[in-house]
Amino acid sequence: EIPEWLMYFNYYSINIRSSVAIILNTTDCLEHSTLSQLQQCYKVPCFPIAPLHRLGAAATSTSFLEEDQSCIAWLEKQPPNSVLYISLGSLARVNEQELTETAWGLANSGIPFIWVLRSDSIDGSQLDDHFPEGSFKSLLGERGLIVKWAPQKKVLAHSAVGGFWSHCGWNSTIESICEGVPMICRPLF
């Protein structure tokens, strides 16, 4: 019996059984059983070749959004492994309640953080609407940094980053694993 996820893979493949092999942007240590199932189902070798992003130059950006490089200078001022990096990807949206809870949680945590918060990721709400005492940024002082988009590979490679709160997209997961940064996983899809 073919698992449901394999049916999805099968739907998007074109006559894969006539192929010589399957090359995938993954790694055997993460998906050994899945790779074995693919190989068994299609009777062709599977070659996991991840992480592909490591093949490009570290300074080269693949982002389609403008990256705010100021966060790197901010990270330089932070102690090693002290910063939580929060990014929920380029497609995810948060509702007003989740925005408020996240903001108050970060404000009350006492830890330094970089929060990627795109204006189009918020469903009709502004961050400062939830802080009647003053703006969220003034409440945090220098402890928190909010940017619209960050150079994620550089951020994750920085020694000040000690954790990554992620939506668990494939690129984010692989980038975090490659840099050895522990993750707080918040899948959104």
Side-chain angles (χ1 to χ4, degrees), residues 18-77:
S18 66
S19 300
V20 175
I22 304 170
I23 299 172
L24 298 164
N25 183 20
T26 190
T27 177
D28 191 64
C29 67
L30 290 177
E31 299 187 290
H32 179 76
S33 65
T34 301
L35 291 167
S36 295
Q37 285 180 330
L38 277 172
Q39 190 163 343
Q40 185 177 22
C41 179
Y42 292 110
K43 308 293 188 228
V44 296
C46 292
F47 297 106
I49 58 170
L52 290 177
H53 79 278
R54 288 287 217 179
L55 297 175
T60 304
S61 171
T62 57
S63 178
F64 58 90
L65 298 172
E66 185 178 345
E67 297 172 336
D68 184 342
Q69 300 290 329
S70 69
C71 59
I72 302 301
W74 183 87
L75 280 170
E76 292 295 325
K77 301 174 189 172

Side-chain angles (χ1 to χ4, degrees), residues 94-165:
V94 294
N95 63 35
E96 189 173 331
Q97 180 181 356
E98 188 166 5
L99 174 71
T100 302
E101 293 293 328
T102 301
W104 277 110
L106 291 169
N108 293 328
S109 72
I111 62 167
F113 63 87
I114 295 176
W115 187 6
V116 174
L117 190 61
R118 300 177 343 273
S119 57
D120 65 335
S121 68
I122 305 167
D123 285 335
S125 180
Q126 293 301 315
L127 193 55
D128 285 338
D129 295 345
H130 306 281
F131 290 87
E133 310 85 41
S135 80
F136 182 65
K137 291 179 184 179
S138 66
L139 178 67
L140 297 171
E142 293 294 314
R143 186 174 55 82
L145 180 65
I146 300 172
V147 296
K148 290 181 181 177
W149 198 248
Q152 183 162 292
K153 291 181 209 175
K154 288 180 184 178
V155 169
L156 290 172
H158 199 283
S159 63
V161 175
F164 180 19
W165 180 347

